[in-house]
Structure formats: structure tokens, C-alpha cells
Amino acid sequence: MSKLLYPIQWFYREFGVAAIHETGRDAYLIISARACRMVAHGAIAVILALFCSAIDFTDYQIGLFMTLTLLGDVFLGGFLTLIADRTGRRLVLVGGSFLMVMSGVLFALFNNFWILLFGAIFGVISATGGDFGPFRSIEESMLSQLTIPHTRPSVLSWYVTCSSIGVALGSEGAGRLISYLQARDGWTLADAYHTLFWGYVAMGLVNVGLTMLLTDACELPRETDVYAEVPQDEDDDEPEHASRPNVKADFDLPKRRWYNRLSGRLSQISAPTRKVMYKLWILLALDSVADGMVPWSLTNYYVDERFHPKKSSLGDITSAAFVLAAVSTVFAGPLAQKIGLINTMVFTHVPSSAAVLIFPLAPNLAFAIILLFVRTGLNNMDQAPRSAFIAGVVKPEERTAVMGITSMIRTVAAMAGPTLTGILAGNDQFWIAFVAAGVCRLVYDFGLYVLFINVKLHQHETGPAGSGTIAVPPRLSDEEMTELDDIGHKKGMDTATTRSETPDTLSRLSVSDEGRLAPHTTSAVRRRSPSPLGKYVSIA
């Protein structure tokens, strides 16, 4: 029996399922929420450009529509991300989910260009099939906080993997549903598309419910503000606030304009972090320009215009491609453990970029499908390592802001893509978009390797004292002392020593990369299950 269970146990351990279980319930909820959201985005990615065409938008209008949709994502997603730590991450995610519901209702009821544009800009509609808006950066920040360096790549890999599965299910279901509804008497193609957006509304409501189940562990820890009492003479010329060096500048934020709030949030990112991120942001912007030029919605539009497959076939192709993406992404975590984050990002992304570059050369639908499979199957393998890399080079308190700015920059860069592609398509030069996108992606890939292969990670993964130690008050309850005795026995300490030297003993205990107590390590871990000692564990 043990031999039969060994493959399951091996997969559970080596492919990161154990890392999700160790992280706890919040990780399951975050991953499930994104998977449901991506079911909706996957369905819309198949039909968005086709829907616009069916309600008589011109190619120029389609390109402009998608560009302005991305512009809305920049302001809405960027603003919500930057205030998430202060306002509450869960509250912002719930608000974003309701905006998703609002957009779905408008697209399900109206055909007017301006009404749909309003819903796309001020709501949440993915113009490219990706997860833009406030969701992804906040969720990745949550997962980075809940995990430790050893488990982070695996958890983030499953976060991306389940999203790919969601896209596959959504695109497959969308293609089948459109074909079924279109075949019914009295149904037009536009009517079938409208019906699909009610499914988008349903997924938004599911996302609301899952987000509301998240615990306080997902929020940025609130530090108690300490006011230093420094004696001063009455004739001291220093300003009053000089005696309070630890007072945060955030207290005067309500008195300032909103743009000052944002600039103040940006200024909190440390100089070493900015030094690394400036280079990465430039490369990510280049990659996003490429993704914006040939997103899935426009790629499907290109395939439909050139090869004229059935709508159900388009759904099947998209679904199969994202199933491959889901399968390949499972290997991103283990691969990153073996060869490193940057190597995983580069070596898996180069073939995908090459497939984009030569896509216009496809002489028939079969060869085009093969290139789509290569592109999509490998495209997502760099996402989890990239998020883990960002989490590894920035301070924990900077992660949400940095990931939000990263998402904003990517969205801004992607904005120009659909308009350029729309202009090219209107002049029968759609193929140029794929060539330009492939070149930009390859420059991004090789730039990553040259600039970041030797960057040191996890320099900030420490506890309050810089040693990753567990802070314990001098006096503990009987229940806490019982658990402390168990910890001490595992470390070879007798009960008398453990109980008599409680602070000194625990100061030598910290959290290892596996999430267990061990001496002389430098990684702290957030509590993932109720424990009398859990509230004293320092937060990474």
C-alpha cells in the first residue's frame, strides 16, 4: 500500500502542495478566488474583440476601446493597490469584486460604445485576458507575507497554475455556450455574448464571498506607534515634533490631497529597493508593450479573420492552450528550487517569445495552433518566479506598494499595444504586431538574465531584531508553558531549563525555511494556525 501511495506523497511534497497546506486556509481561499476570477476572464478573453465586432465596432474602435480599458486599470488598480495596506487589503479586494460585478451587468445589458467604455474603464474588465486591476498585486503580497522563502515559489506557482486552469475552463465553456446559444431559434450572436457576461457577474459574486472569508493574517501588521519622551528646555529652538522621532508621517495624510497621499506612499519605498526595481520595471514595461499588442482577445480575432474556425473550435484551442499552461506552471516552483528564479524566468520564456515572433509565418491553422500552444504553454512559467523574486528583494512592508506599482507600470505599458494593433489591423498589416511583440519579449528575456542573475535575495527576511527570533513576554500562561516544554524537548532541552530560562531559551529559537522552530536561522514566519505561542511569532 505504501508503494502505491509513494507517487502521491512524492507529488504532494515535491510539487508544492505541502507548501500550500503549511501556509494554511488563507492560501487556499486566495488561490480559489483567483481561479474563479480567471474563469470569468478566460471566457471574456475568447469573445471580447469578437463581441465588439458583432455589435459593429470598427477595428479602430476596438483598439481604442482596449487601450482606454487598460488606462482605467492603471488609475483604478494603481490607486486601490497603493491604499490597500492602509485601508485594508480585504476591503479593497471586496470593492474590486463589486466593480467586476458592475462591469458584467453593463456588458450584459447594453451595446452602446460609450456605456460599455464607462463599464470597462471604471469597472473591472480584462482587455487582454490577464488579471489586471487591484487583485493580483494585493493577493501576491498577501501570499508573500503568509509564506517563507522556502515555500513561497511553490505557493505562488500554484496561484498561477490554478489561474491557468480557470482560464482554460472559462474559454472552453465560453466557446461551447456561444455555439449552443447561437444555434437556438431567435438568438443572435450578440445575444449569446450578452448571456456570457451574466456568468462574469456570477464569478464576481463568488469572488466577493471568498474574499470575505479571509482572516486578519492577510493584513499588513499594524505596529504600535511609540512616542519618545525627550526632556527639553523651554527655550529649545527645535520644533515640537522633533521630540517624537517615531511619529509616522501618515498621521497628517487626511489633511493632504489624494495625490500627496500617493506620493507619500511611493516615498516609503527604500532606495535599495528602488535601485533594483527601476531596472526591472523598464524590462517589464517592454514585455507588457508586447503583451498589449497581441493579447489573447486580439490573437483570437486574428486567427478568426485569417483561418475562419468555428467559435467552439476557438474555445477548444484556447482551453487546450491554458491546460498546457497550467501543467507547465506546476513545474515552475520545483524548477526554481533547482536552477534559481531568474534562470527559470528566462529559460522558459524565450521559447514562448520566439513562438510569438514567428506566428505570422504559420501557413495553416494547424501550425498556428502549435505556435499558440508553445506560446501559452510556457508563457506563465515566469510569473510565480517573478513574484517570488520581487518579494525576495524588497522589504515586507514594501511588497504591496512595489507589486502595485509593478502592475501599474505593466498596465500603462500595455495600453499602447491594442491601439497600435488596431491601426495595423485596419491597414491589413496585423502581422507586424506579432513580429514587434516577439522582438520586445526577447529583449526582456535576455535583459533579465544580464541584469539580475547575481542579485542576492531574502536580505530582509528577518525578525524585529534582525535575527528572525521569536519575541516572548517574560510571563506565560500554563497552556503556553506546556507548548514551550514540547518545543524544548524537541530541541534536547529539559523542562527545568526551558521553564527557568524562558526568554533566553526562546531567543535561541527561530523559524526555519520549512516553517518549524530551529536554532540559528534568519527567517521568520507568520502564524498559520491557532497556537498559544503563535501570537509571539515575528512576522516576515
Side-chain angles (χ1 to χ4, degrees):
M1 187 65 177
S2 60
K3 292 183 178 180
L4 294 176
L5 293 178
Y6 177 78
I8 299 176
Q9 294 173 341
W10 177 82
F11 181 87
Y12 177 80
R13 182 180 62 255
E14 294 297 327
F15 284 86
V17 182
I20 302 176
H21 180 71
E22 181 184 338
T23 304
R25 187 188 74 172
D26 286 328
Y28 287 108
L29 290 173
I30 292 170
I31 292 172
S32 298
R34 194 189 187 206
C36 292
R37 197 167 62 248
M38 294 309 292
V39 169
H41 288 330
I44 300 308
V46 175
I47 59 97
L48 185 59
L50 298 174
F51 168 69
C52 293
S53 178
I55 57 177
D56 298 325
F57 289 7
T58 66
D59 288 342
Y60 298 105
Q61 283 180 314
I62 293 173
L64 179 63
F65 179 86
M66 293 192 174
T67 294
L68 293 178
T69 300
L70 292 172
L71 180 64
D73 288 334
V74 170
F75 289 105
L76 180 65
F79 174 74
L80 292 178
T81 301
L82 288 175
I83 67 170
D85 284 346
R86 183 177 178 84
T87 305
R89 293 170 177 173
R90 290 171 294 175
L91 180 62
V92 170
L93 291 179
V94 169
S97 299
F98 278 116
L99 291 176
M100 180 178 173
V101 171
M102 182 268 288
S103 296
V105 170
L106 292 180
F107 274 75
L109 295 176
F110 297 100
N111 288 335
N112 182 271
F113 177 82
W114 298 108
I115 294 177
L116 297 184
L117 187 61
F118 173 85
I121 293 176
F122 295 100
V124 177
I125 284 286
S126 177
T128 63
D131 195 15
F132 289 109
F135 298 104
R136 181 174 176 179
S137 55
I138 296 176
E139 289 173 346
E140 287 179 343
S141 180
M142 287 178 173
L143 290 175
S144 297
Q145 177 172 300
L146 293 167
T147 54
I148 53 178
H150 181 74
T151 60
R152 189 171 298 140
S154 296
V155 173
L156 290 172
S157 291
W158 279 104
Y159 176 75
V160 177
T161 297
C162 291
S163 73
S164 298
I165 295 174
V167 173
L169 293 175
S171 57
E172 174 68 16
R176 295 294 178 183
L177 183 62
I178 293 299
S179 296
Y180 169 75
L181 294 177
Q182 190 180 5
R184 299 183 65 181
D185 292 336
W187 283 73
T188 66
L189 186 58
D191 292 334
Y193 289 145
H194 280 302
T195 302
L196 197 61
F197 282 104
W198 287 116
Y200 190 85
V201 172
M203 287 296 102
L205 293 174
V206 171
N207 209 76
V208 171
L210 291 173
T211 302
M212 293 179 70
L213 294 175
L214 295 173
T215 68
D216 290 339
C218 297
E219 303 290 353
L220 183 69
R222 302 283 181 172
E223 296 181 2
T224 302
D225 299 301
V226 180
Y227 293 85
E229 297 182 0
V230 180
Q232 294 184 350
D233 296 331
E234 292 183 359
D235 58 349
D236 196 340
D237 292 333
E238 289 191 18
E240 182 181 355
H241 69 269
S243 63
R244 299 179 179 180
N246 292 327
V247 177
K248 294 183 178 179
D250 285 347
F251 281 116
D252 64 353
L253 285 179
K255 303 177 184 178
R256 297 153 66 182
R257 295 180 182 273
W258 68 269
Y259 52 80
N260 285 335
R261 296 185 186 185
L262 298 183
S263 63
R265 190 74 178 90
L266 293 173
S267 67
Q268 294 177 10
I269 301 176
S270 61
T273 297
R274 292 198 301 267
K275 182 178 179 181
V276 174
M277 292 308 300
Y278 285 152
K279 295 182 288 186
L280 182 60
W281 283 334
I282 292 173
L283 292 176
L284 288 174
L286 190 63
D287 181 55
S288 296
V289 169
D291 288 342
M293 294 185 73
V294 288
W296 257 104
S297 54
L298 290 179
T299 300
N300 281 335
Y301 184 53
Y302 175 82
V303 172
D304 183 69
E305 289 291 313
R306 183 173 177 186
F307 301 111
H308 308 291
K310 296 179 180 179
K311 297 297 184 295
S312 59
S313 298
L314 269 180
D316 293 340
I317 294 168
T318 305
S319 178
F322 278 96
V323 167
L324 290 176
V327 172
S328 65
T329 308
V330 172
F331 294 90
L335 190 61
Q337 299 279 0
K338 302 295 183 182
I339 67 174
L341 298 174
I342 295 298
N343 285 336
T344 302
M345 293 166 65
V346 173
F347 297 154
T348 60
H349 203 253
V350 166
S352 177
S353 302
V356 174
L357 178 65
I358 64 175
F359 186 73
L361 300 178
N364 50 53
L365 180 61
F367 193 76
I369 291 173
I370 293 173
L371 292 177
L372 283 174
F373 285 172
V374 173
R375 169 190 170 180
T376 310
L378 298 175
N379 189 64
N380 291 348
M381 289 188 72
D382 73 320
Q383 293 184 16
R386 182 175 67 228
S387 299
F389 177 81
I390 293 174
V393 297
V394 306
K395 296 179 180 179
E397 63 271 18
E398 298 174 344
R399 284 174 183 154
T400 302
V402 168
M403 289 179 177
I405 294 170
T406 302
S407 178
M408 185 190 306
I409 290 173
R410 286 177 60 83
T411 308
V412 170
M415 282 194 314
T419 298
L420 293 174
T421 303
I423 295 172
L424 292 171
N427 291 283
D428 295 326
Q429 294 179 325
F430 205 149
W431 64 272
I432 296 178
F434 290 95
V435 175
V439 171
C440 289
R441 286 166 60 104
L442 288 171
V443 172
Y444 158 77
D445 295 331
F446 296 121
L448 274 179
Y449 189 85
V450 172
L451 295 177
F452 296 105
I453 189 62
N454 294 318
V455 171
K456 294 182 179 180
L457 302 178
H458 313 306
Q459 300 297 304
H460 307 293
E461 302 279 341
T462 57
S467 61
T469 59
I470 298 177
V472 179
R475 302 179 65 180
L476 302 176
S477 67
D478 292 339
E479 184 184 8
E480 291 165 346
M481 291 304 300
T482 300
E483 183 172 349
L484 181 61
D485 291 340
D486 294 337
I487 296 173
H489 286 312
K490 293 179 181 179
K491 297 298 168 187
M493 305 175 187
D494 57 56
T495 302
T497 302
T498 304
R499 287 179 175 268
S500 63
E501 300 181 2
T502 298
D504 292 338
T505 300
L506 279 185
S507 69
R508 297 194 299 273
L509 298 175
S510 60
V511 183
S512 71
D513 283 347
E514 287 76 22
R516 296 183 292 272
L517 293 173
H520 311 303
T521 61
T522 59
S523 297
V525 67
R526 187 177 183 88
R527 174 166 56 99
R528 286 178 289 276
S529 60
S531 167
L533 290 182
K535 59 187 175 184
Y536 305 124
V537 177
S538 57
I539 299 172

mmCIF file of all heavy atoms in Angstrom, residues 487-521:
data_model
loop_
_atom_site.group_PDB
_atom_site.id
_atom_site.type_symbol
_atom_site.label_atom_id
_atom_site.label_comp_id
_atom_site.label_asym_id
_atom_site.label_seq_id
_atom_site.Cartn_x
_atom_site.Cartn_y
_atom_site.Cartn_z
ATOM 1 N N ILE A 487 8.335 22.175 22.734
ATOM 2 C CA ILE A 487 9.373 22.708 21.851
ATOM 3 C C ILE A 487 10.755 22.415 22.416
ATOM 4 O O ILE A 487 11.686 22.023 21.717
ATOM 5 C CB ILE A 487 9.177 24.220 21.647
ATOM 6 C CG1 ILE A 487 7.854 24.495 20.940
ATOM 7 C CG2 ILE A 487 10.332 24.817 20.847
ATOM 8 C CD1 ILE A 487 7.499 25.957 20.860
ATOM 9 N N GLY A 488 10.865 22.615 23.730
ATOM 10 C CA GLY A 488 12.163 22.384 24.360
ATOM 11 C C GLY A 488 12.610 20.953 24.268
ATOM 12 O O GLY A 488 13.779 20.658 24.026
ATOM 13 N N HIS A 489 11.684 20.003 24.456
ATOM 14 C CA HIS A 489 12.038 18.585 24.351
ATOM 15 C C HIS A 489 12.550 18.252 22.965
ATOM 16 O O HIS A 489 13.487 17.470 22.793
ATOM 17 C CB HIS A 489 10.820 17.727 24.682
ATOM 18 C CG HIS A 489 10.484 17.689 26.155
ATOM 19 N ND1 HIS A 489 11.419 17.459 27.137
ATOM 20 C CD2 HIS A 489 9.300 17.880 26.805
ATOM 21 C CE1 HIS A 489 10.848 17.490 28.328
ATOM 22 N NE2 HIS A 489 9.546 17.772 28.154
ATOM 23 N N LYS A 490 11.912 18.838 21.935
ATOM 24 C CA LYS A 490 12.362 18.578 20.558
ATOM 25 C C LYS A 490 13.763 19.110 20.330
ATOM 26 O O LYS A 490 14.480 18.652 19.455
ATOM 27 C CB LYS A 490 11.386 19.213 19.564
ATOM 28 C CG LYS A 490 10.020 18.549 19.568
ATOM 29 C CD LYS A 490 9.085 19.231 18.577
ATOM 30 C CE LYS A 490 7.713 18.586 18.599
ATOM 31 N NZ LYS A 490 6.778 19.253 17.654
ATOM 32 N N LYS A 491 14.159 20.138 21.085
ATOM 33 C CA LYS A 491 15.480 20.723 20.924
ATOM 34 C C LYS A 491 16.487 20.131 21.890
ATOM 35 O O LYS A 491 17.616 20.620 22.007
ATOM 36 C CB LYS A 491 15.401 22.244 21.135
ATOM 37 C CG LYS A 491 14.530 22.913 20.094
ATOM 38 C CD LYS A 491 15.128 22.699 18.734
ATOM 39 C CE LYS A 491 14.134 23.091 17.661
ATOM 40 N NZ LYS A 491 14.611 22.746 16.331
ATOM 41 N N GLY A 492 16.073 19.088 22.646
ATOM 42 C CA GLY A 492 17.012 18.457 23.567
ATOM 43 C C GLY A 492 17.167 19.197 24.875
ATOM 44 O O GLY A 492 18.159 19.004 25.581
ATOM 45 N N MET A 493 16.239 20.045 25.243
ATOM 46 C CA MET A 493 16.307 20.798 26.488
ATOM 47 C C MET A 493 15.393 20.136 27.512
ATOM 48 O O MET A 493 14.315 19.672 27.191
ATOM 49 C CB MET A 493 15.847 22.245 26.270
ATOM 50 C CG MET A 493 16.589 22.977 25.178
ATOM 51 S SD MET A 493 15.893 24.615 24.899
ATOM 52 C CE MET A 493 16.824 25.099 23.445
ATOM 53 N N ASP A 494 15.811 20.111 28.790
ATOM 54 C CA ASP A 494 14.937 19.565 29.810
ATOM 55 C C ASP A 494 13.927 20.621 30.247
ATOM 56 O O ASP A 494 14.078 21.818 30.026
ATOM 57 C CB ASP A 494 15.741 19.066 31.020
ATOM 58 C CG ASP A 494 16.616 20.145 31.627
ATOM 59 O OD1 ASP A 494 16.079 21.211 31.997
ATOM 60 O OD2 ASP A 494 17.844 19.938 31.724
ATOM 61 N N THR A 495 12.875 20.137 30.919
ATOM 62 C CA THR A 495 11.765 21.015 31.289
ATOM 63 C C THR A 495 12.211 22.106 32.237
ATOM 64 O O THR A 495 11.807 23.268 32.133
ATOM 65 C CB THR A 495 10.644 20.183 31.938
ATOM 66 O OG1 THR A 495 10.231 19.192 31.009
ATOM 67 C CG2 THR A 495 9.469 21.073 32.330
ATOM 68 N N ALA A 496 13.073 21.767 33.190
ATOM 69 C CA ALA A 496 13.512 22.762 34.171
ATOM 70 C C ALA A 496 14.242 23.918 33.494
ATOM 71 O O ALA A 496 14.017 25.100 33.798
ATOM 72 C CB ALA A 496 14.410 22.120 35.212
ATOM 73 N N THR A 497 15.120 23.572 32.557
ATOM 74 C CA THR A 497 15.863 24.626 31.859
ATOM 75 C C THR A 497 14.935 25.489 31.032
ATOM 76 O O THR A 497 15.034 26.709 31.007
ATOM 77 C CB THR A 497 16.938 24.001 30.940
ATOM 78 O OG1 THR A 497 17.803 23.211 31.731
ATOM 79 C CG2 THR A 497 17.722 25.083 30.216
ATOM 80 N N THR A 498 13.989 24.813 30.348
ATOM 81 C CA THR A 498 13.062 25.555 29.492
ATOM 82 C C THR A 498 12.220 26.523 30.302
ATOM 83 O O THR A 498 12.029 27.671 29.926
ATOM 84 C CB THR A 498 12.136 24.581 28.747
ATOM 85 O OG1 THR A 498 12.936 23.659 28.024
ATOM 86 C CG2 THR A 498 11.244 25.329 27.772
ATOM 87 N N ARG A 499 11.723 26.074 31.472
ATOM 88 C CA ARG A 499 10.827 26.912 32.264
ATOM 89 C C ARG A 499 11.585 28.000 33.022
ATOM 90 O O ARG A 499 11.051 29.084 33.250
ATOM 91 C CB ARG A 499 10.042 26.055 33.264
ATOM 92 C CG ARG A 499 8.969 25.218 32.594
ATOM 93 C CD ARG A 499 8.230 24.369 33.619
ATOM 94 N NE ARG A 499 7.115 23.656 32.988
ATOM 95 C CZ ARG A 499 5.885 24.135 32.927
ATOM 96 N NH1 ARG A 499 5.604 25.311 33.437
ATOM 97 N NH2 ARG A 499 4.928 23.426 32.354
ATOM 98 N N SER A 500 12.833 27.734 33.407
ATOM 99 C CA SER A 500 13.571 28.720 34.195
ATOM 100 C C SER A 500 14.225 29.783 33.341
ATOM 101 O O SER A 500 14.516 30.874 33.810
ATOM 102 C CB SER A 500 14.652 28.014 35.035
ATOM 103 O OG SER A 500 15.597 27.388 34.177
ATOM 104 N N GLU A 501 14.464 29.463 32.071
ATOM 105 C CA GLU A 501 15.158 30.410 31.199
ATOM 106 C C GLU A 501 14.297 30.708 29.975
ATOM 107 O O GLU A 501 14.760 30.683 28.853
ATOM 108 C CB GLU A 501 16.513 29.853 30.765
ATOM 109 C CG GLU A 501 17.447 29.554 31.940
ATOM 110 C CD GLU A 501 18.783 29.021 31.453
ATOM 111 O OE1 GLU A 501 18.962 28.925 30.231
ATOM 112 O OE2 GLU A 501 19.627 28.694 32.289
ATOM 113 N N THR A 502 13.024 30.983 30.209
ATOM 114 C CA THR A 502 12.087 31.140 29.094
ATOM 115 C C THR A 502 12.532 32.172 28.067
ATOM 116 O O THR A 502 12.670 31.854 26.895
ATOM 117 C CB THR A 502 10.695 31.511 29.617
ATOM 118 O OG1 THR A 502 10.222 30.442 30.428
ATOM 119 C CG2 THR A 502 9.737 31.730 28.454
ATOM 120 N N PRO A 503 12.812 33.430 28.438
ATOM 121 C CA PRO A 503 13.188 34.414 27.415
ATOM 122 C C PRO A 503 14.474 34.051 26.707
ATOM 123 O O PRO A 503 14.578 34.140 25.492
ATOM 124 C CB PRO A 503 13.315 35.716 28.211
ATOM 125 C CG PRO A 503 12.500 35.480 29.454
ATOM 126 C CD PRO A 503 12.692 34.032 29.760
ATOM 127 N N ASP A 504 15.495 33.603 27.481
ATOM 128 C CA ASP A 504 16.774 33.293 26.849
ATOM 129 C C ASP A 504 16.662 32.064 25.959
ATOM 130 O O ASP A 504 17.279 31.977 24.910
ATOM 131 C CB ASP A 504 17.841 33.049 27.924
ATOM 132 C CG ASP A 504 18.162 34.325 28.685
ATOM 133 O OD1 ASP A 504 17.902 35.410 28.125
ATOM 134 O OD2 ASP A 504 18.637 34.228 29.829
ATOM 135 N N THR A 505 15.879 31.096 26.421
ATOM 136 C CA THR A 505 15.735 29.878 25.629
ATOM 137 C C THR A 505 15.076 30.161 24.286
ATOM 138 O O THR A 505 15.558 29.757 23.236
ATOM 139 C CB THR A 505 14.892 28.844 26.393
ATOM 140 O OG1 THR A 505 15.548 28.539 27.619
ATOM 141 C CG2 THR A 505 14.720 27.571 25.570
ATOM 142 N N LEU A 506 13.965 30.905 24.332
ATOM 143 C CA LEU A 506 13.262 31.183 23.079
ATOM 144 C C LEU A 506 14.012 32.147 22.198
ATOM 145 O O LEU A 506 13.797 32.183 21.000
ATOM 146 C CB LEU A 506 11.873 31.731 23.375
ATOM 147 C CG LEU A 506 10.828 30.651 23.706
ATOM 148 C CD1 LEU A 506 9.469 31.306 23.861
ATOM 149 C CD2 LEU A 506 10.778 29.583 22.662
ATOM 150 N N SER A 507 14.905 32.941 22.768
ATOM 151 C CA SER A 507 15.678 33.847 21.926
ATOM 152 C C SER A 507 16.626 33.084 21.032
ATOM 153 O O SER A 507 17.109 33.613 20.047
ATOM 154 C CB SER A 507 16.467 34.836 22.787
ATOM 155 O OG SER A 507 17.503 34.159 23.492
ATOM 156 N N ARG A 508 16.898 31.804 21.406
ATOM 157 C CA ARG A 508 17.764 30.990 20.562
ATOM 158 C C ARG A 508 16.969 30.148 19.571
ATOM 159 O O ARG A 508 17.517 29.387 18.810
ATOM 160 C CB ARG A 508 18.613 30.056 21.435
ATOM 161 C CG ARG A 508 19.556 30.790 22.371
ATOM 162 C CD ARG A 508 20.591 29.843 22.943
ATOM 163 N NE ARG A 508 20.017 28.769 23.723
ATOM 164 C CZ ARG A 508 19.744 28.867 25.029
ATOM 165 N NH1 ARG A 508 19.998 29.993 25.675
ATOM 166 N NH2 ARG A 508 19.224 27.852 25.685
ATOM 167 N N LEU A 509 15.645 30.259 19.646
ATOM 168 C CA LEU A 509 14.798 29.503 18.735
ATOM 169 C C LEU A 509 14.227 30.427 17.687
ATOM 170 O O LEU A 509 13.709 31.484 18.004
ATOM 171 C CB LEU A 509 13.641 28.844 19.500
ATOM 172 C CG LEU A 509 14.031 27.821 20.571
ATOM 173 C CD1 LEU A 509 12.776 27.367 21.290
ATOM 174 C CD2 LEU A 509 14.752 26.645 19.958
ATOM 175 N N SER A 510 14.300 30.063 16.448
ATOM 176 C CA SER A 510 13.704 30.854 15.370
ATOM 177 C C SER A 510 13.055 29.918 14.388
ATOM 178 O O SER A 510 12.985 28.725 14.605
ATOM 179 C CB SER A 510 14.760 31.734 14.695
ATOM 180 O OG SER A 510 15.769 30.938 14.147
ATOM 181 N N VAL A 511 12.597 30.468 13.301
ATOM 182 C CA VAL A 511 11.809 29.681 12.353
ATOM 183 C C VAL A 511 12.643 29.339 11.137
ATOM 184 O O VAL A 511 13.222 30.209 10.511
ATOM 185 C CB VAL A 511 10.560 30.468 11.933
ATOM 186 C CG1 VAL A 511 9.705 29.631 11.016
ATOM 187 C CG2 VAL A 511 9.772 30.856 13.178
ATOM 188 N N SER A 512 12.679 28.058 10.812
ATOM 189 C CA SER A 512 13.464 27.623 9.669
ATOM 190 C C SER A 512 12.681 27.801 8.391
ATOM 191 O O SER A 512 11.515 28.134 8.397
ATOM 192 C CB SER A 512 13.845 26.142 9.832
ATOM 193 O OG SER A 512 12.702 25.339 9.657
ATOM 194 N N ASP A 513 13.359 27.529 7.252
ATOM 195 C CA ASP A 513 12.706 27.668 5.949
ATOM 196 C C ASP A 513 11.544 26.708 5.794
ATOM 197 O O ASP A 513 10.682 26.894 4.965
ATOM 198 C CB ASP A 513 13.709 27.423 4.815
ATOM 199 C CG ASP A 513 14.597 28.632 4.620
ATOM 200 O OD1 ASP A 513 14.264 29.688 5.170
ATOM 201 O OD2 ASP A 513 15.608 28.501 3.912
ATOM 202 N N GLU A 514 11.527 25.635 6.585
ATOM 203 C CA GLU A 514 10.424 24.690 6.486
ATOM 204 C C GLU A 514 9.257 25.115 7.365
ATOM 205 O O GLU A 514 8.236 24.451 7.421
ATOM 206 C CB GLU A 514 10.876 23.286 6.900
ATOM 207 C CG GLU A 514 11.769 22.610 5.862
ATOM 208 C CD GLU A 514 13.186 23.164 5.887
ATOM 209 O OE1 GLU A 514 13.589 23.729 6.919
ATOM 210 O OE2 GLU A 514 13.870 23.049 4.861
ATOM 211 N N GLY A 515 9.395 26.218 8.099
ATOM 212 C CA GLY A 515 8.289 26.696 8.902
ATOM 213 C C GLY A 515 8.257 26.098 10.292
ATOM 214 O O GLY A 515 7.288 26.240 11.026
ATOM 215 N N ARG A 516 9.326 25.372 10.720
ATOM 216 C CA ARG A 516 9.383 24.791 12.046
ATOM 217 C C ARG A 516 10.428 25.509 12.872
ATOM 218 O O ARG A 516 11.355 26.115 12.348
ATOM 219 C CB ARG A 516 9.718 23.293 11.954
ATOM 220 C CG ARG A 516 8.650 22.483 11.242
ATOM 221 C CD ARG A 516 9.006 21.014 11.239
ATOM 222 N NE ARG A 516 10.177 20.751 10.397
ATOM 223 C CZ ARG A 516 10.098 20.504 9.102
ATOM 224 N NH1 ARG A 516 8.947 20.488 8.493
ATOM 225 N NH2 ARG A 516 11.188 20.267 8.402
ATOM 226 N N LEU A 517 10.322 25.377 14.205
ATOM 227 C CA LEU A 517 11.281 26.030 15.080
ATOM 228 C C LEU A 517 12.630 25.345 14.980
ATOM 229 O O LEU A 517 12.746 24.142 15.053
ATOM 230 C CB LEU A 517 10.778 25.988 16.529
ATOM 231 C CG LEU A 517 9.527 26.831 16.793
ATOM 232 C CD1 LEU A 517 9.035 26.579 18.205
ATOM 233 C CD2 LEU A 517 9.827 28.295 16.601
ATOM 234 N N ALA A 518 13.670 26.143 14.803
ATOM 235 C CA ALA A 518 15.021 25.613 14.710
ATOM 236 C C ALA A 518 15.995 26.703 15.087
ATOM 237 O O ALA A 518 15.712 27.878 14.920
ATOM 238 C CB ALA A 518 15.313 25.124 13.280
ATOM 239 N N PRO A 519 17.173 26.356 15.631
ATOM 240 C CA PRO A 519 18.129 27.374 16.052
ATOM 241 C C PRO A 519 18.912 27.938 14.887
ATOM 242 O O PRO A 519 19.096 27.293 13.862
ATOM 243 C CB PRO A 519 19.056 26.585 17.000
ATOM 244 C CG PRO A 519 18.993 25.176 16.492
ATOM 245 C CD PRO A 519 17.595 24.995 15.964
ATOM 246 N N HIS A 520 19.357 29.197 15.084
ATOM 247 C CA HIS A 520 20.338 29.825 14.195
ATOM 248 C C HIS A 520 19.873 29.942 12.757
ATOM 249 O O HIS A 520 20.611 29.659 11.814
ATOM 250 C CB HIS A 520 21.659 29.062 14.234
ATOM 251 C CG HIS A 520 22.140 28.778 15.618
ATOM 252 N ND1 HIS A 520 22.354 29.771 16.542
ATOM 253 C CD2 HIS A 520 22.402 27.612 16.252
ATOM 254 C CE1 HIS A 520 22.773 29.231 17.694
ATOM 255 N NE2 HIS A 520 22.788 27.928 17.545
ATOM 256 N N THR A 521 18.634 30.332 12.543
ATOM 257 C CA THR A 521 18.188 30.651 11.201
ATOM 258 C C THR A 521 17.776 32.098 11.165
ATOM 259 O O THR A 521 17.661 32.732 12.201
ATOM 260 C CB THR A 521 17.006 29.765 10.775
ATOM 261 O OG1 THR A 521 15.920 29.991 11.663
ATOM 262 C CG2 THR A 521 17.370 28.294 10.769
#
